[in-house]
Amino acid sequence: MSKRSKYDLDSIPQDPPYLQPGALVEIQPPESGYESPWHTATIVQRATPIHSNRFVVRFTHLFQDEKTGNRPLRMISLGDIRPHPPPQRPRKFENGDHADAYHKHSWWDGVIVQELKNGNYLFRFNSDNQWPKFVEFGVNQLRLHRTWLNGHWLPPLEASEIAVEEVQREEEPTKKTMEMEEYNERALVEVANDEDGSNRAWYPAIIVTPVGLGNKRYLIQYTTMRTDDNSNIGFFGKVVDTLHIRPRPPDIAVPDQFVMLDQVDAFYKGGWWKGVIIKVLSDDSKYHVYLATHEEIEFKHSELRLHQDWIDGKWTKPSPGVHL
């Protein structure tokens, strides 16, 4: 009689199609918390030992090295993996609908607040980790929120909802837009502080000269940076890489009066800080702004500008203010 195999074949897990190597899935990384978005990834293989409820995956965008483009393999438990939903047709949403928004290459949980006149929707993120809380999305960047439970989607996917082809989401940066921006001497720019996320501010500066080969670093001179006692520090030079430099935003018409929920930049301590209008004072020339740093500060009209984002080498304009 031959020796018994190490595993009884009947006891080896038979994975469903969505867990087979090469399958596209969505993952909520456990280290990011329950409020984190769902990220797309590809199944590489079931982890060893074979009865482990963990899988080796490679994320589509998460954990990608910005310099090399490499995407490391990660070990993820089965409970944090779900199938990638089939592409869905654009749909009509109602105020209060529980939905997901495709933002920063991942799907975020939230609520439809209002349909806008241009056909887009104002969406409120449920996660406290996302700023701003209210963002405008097109219908192709939204889907009805569903939960994967015991092998089924709740609410169920109807055949009429499924699109024949994958719906286009956000454009991927092309090779051209991913190239480093080059700046001429005396160019007017803005330079980020060393903080990320909510603590990031942009300070007006001038390019003095490139440093080294390849125009990847520049000596810059700040023009408005101030000390803690709000006095100008005069000439202050610093060598900065291009990842922390952007051109000055183009001048766009500033409204005579900002309105509730306008996304703005507030000039504070010599730099521009991202925020949102949360109160218009009675004289119409002052506003309470809730900064991304979670501070509420009063600003004059002249200390505010409409927020713009520098994305893939282009400035994107903010959506108009919306009354709720």
Side-chain angles (χ1 to χ4, degrees):
M1 181 180 294
S2 60
K3 292 183 179 179
R4 291 177 60 87
S5 61
K6 185 175 181 181
Y7 297 109
D8 183 344
L9 293 180
D10 292 336
S11 67
I12 296 177
Q14 299 298 311
D15 294 324
Y18 81 90
L19 292 175
Q20 298 296 327
L24 192 65
V25 294
E26 291 186 347
I27 295 174
Q28 192 175 49
E31 64 267 30
S32 301
Y34 71 94
E35 289 187 335
S36 68
W38 289 88
H39 301 267
T40 56
T42 302
I43 298 290
V44 176
Q45 65 182 41
R46 178 179 275 272
T48 55
I50 198 169
H51 286 273
S52 168
N53 274 331
R54 295 191 301 168
F55 289 80
V56 179
V57 306
R58 177 177 278 114
F59 284 90
T60 306
H61 296 96
L62 190 64
F63 305 121
Q64 183 172 0
D65 189 299
E66 294 183 357
K67 295 182 179 179
T68 65
N70 293 334
R71 292 173 290 127
L73 300 177
R74 298 292 296 254
M75 195 89 69
I76 301 293
S77 297
L78 176 59
D80 298 314
I81 305 174
R82 69 183 188 184
H84 187 277
Q88 300 168 40
R89 300 178 187 274
R91 63 179 294 139
K92 177 80 171 179
F93 289 94
E94 303 293 337
N95 295 352
D97 276 351
H98 193 181
D100 297 333
Y102 190 71
H103 182 59
K104 298 179 180 178
H105 303 297
S106 53
W107 288 99
W108 295 73
D109 179 24
V111 176
I112 300 295
V113 175
Q114 184 176 347
E115 182 177 3
L116 306 180
K117 293 181 179 179
N118 60 6
N120 292 342
Y121 293 89
L122 187 66
F123 179 87
R124 186 188 74 233
F125 291 90
N126 285 337
S127 174
D128 290 333
N129 299 323
Q130 166 58 30
W131 177 269
K133 293 286 287 185
F134 297 88
V135 174
E136 177 182 335
F137 288 103
V139 68
N140 284 344
Q141 297 169 293
L142 297 167
R143 69 185 186 190
L144 194 66
H145 180 81
R146 284 182 165 89
T147 301
W148 181 251
L149 183 65
N150 297 328
H152 301 280
W153 288 107
L154 297 176
L157 268 165
E158 303 294 338
S160 61
E161 295 182 85
I162 301 176
V164 176
E165 297 180 354
E166 179 65 64
V167 175
Q168 180 67 31
R169 304 299 179 188
E170 294 174 347
E171 293 183 359
E172 297 293 334
T174 62
K175 181 178 179 181
K176 182 177 180 181
T177 59
M178 291 178 67
E179 293 175 354
M180 293 294 185
E181 192 78 19
E182 295 185 3
Y183 300 95
N184 297 322
E185 293 183 4
R186 309 303 298 172
L188 301 178
V189 296
E190 291 185 345
V191 178
N193 56 6
D194 294 329
E195 303 293 337
D196 291 321
S198 62
N199 289 322
R200 169 158 288 190
W202 292 90
Y203 294 86
I206 298 173
I207 296 291
V208 177
T209 185
V211 176
L213 300 176
N215 288 355
K216 294 183 179 180
R217 296 194 303 160
Y218 293 86
L219 175 64
I220 60 94
Q221 175 188 348
Y222 290 105
T223 59
T224 60
M225 186 171 281
R226 297 177 177 276
T227 60
D228 291 338
D229 62 1
N230 207 34
S231 60
N232 197 309
I233 63 176
F235 177 86
F236 177 49
K238 183 180 180 181
V239 175
V240 182
D241 63 61
T242 51
L243 295 177
H244 289 78
I245 304 175
R246 68 183 188 184
R248 293 274 180 96
D251 291 330
I252 58 176
V254 177
D256 294 332
Q257 179 183 349
F258 293 103
V259 297
M260 289 285 291
L261 297 182
D262 269 352
Q263 296 182 40
V264 296
D265 294 331
F267 194 70
Y268 180 55
K269 295 183 178 180
W272 292 100
W273 301 74
K274 184 167 63 175
V276 62
I277 301 289
I278 59 172
K279 186 176 183 180
V280 180
L281 301 184
S282 57
D283 62 2
D284 294 339
S285 62
K286 293 183 179 180
Y287 308 86
H288 282 191
V289 178
Y290 188 75
L291 299 179
T293 56
H294 305 296
E295 299 174 272
E296 180 180 337
I297 300 178
E298 182 179 307
F299 289 97
K300 299 177 182 177
H301 187 277
S302 60
E303 296 172 320
L304 301 174
R305 68 184 186 188
L306 288 173
H307 178 74
Q308 299 179 76
D309 287 309
W310 178 248
I311 300 175
D312 297 334
K314 296 180 180 180
W315 285 104
T316 60
K317 295 181 180 180
S319 56
V322 179
H323 295 281
L324 298 182

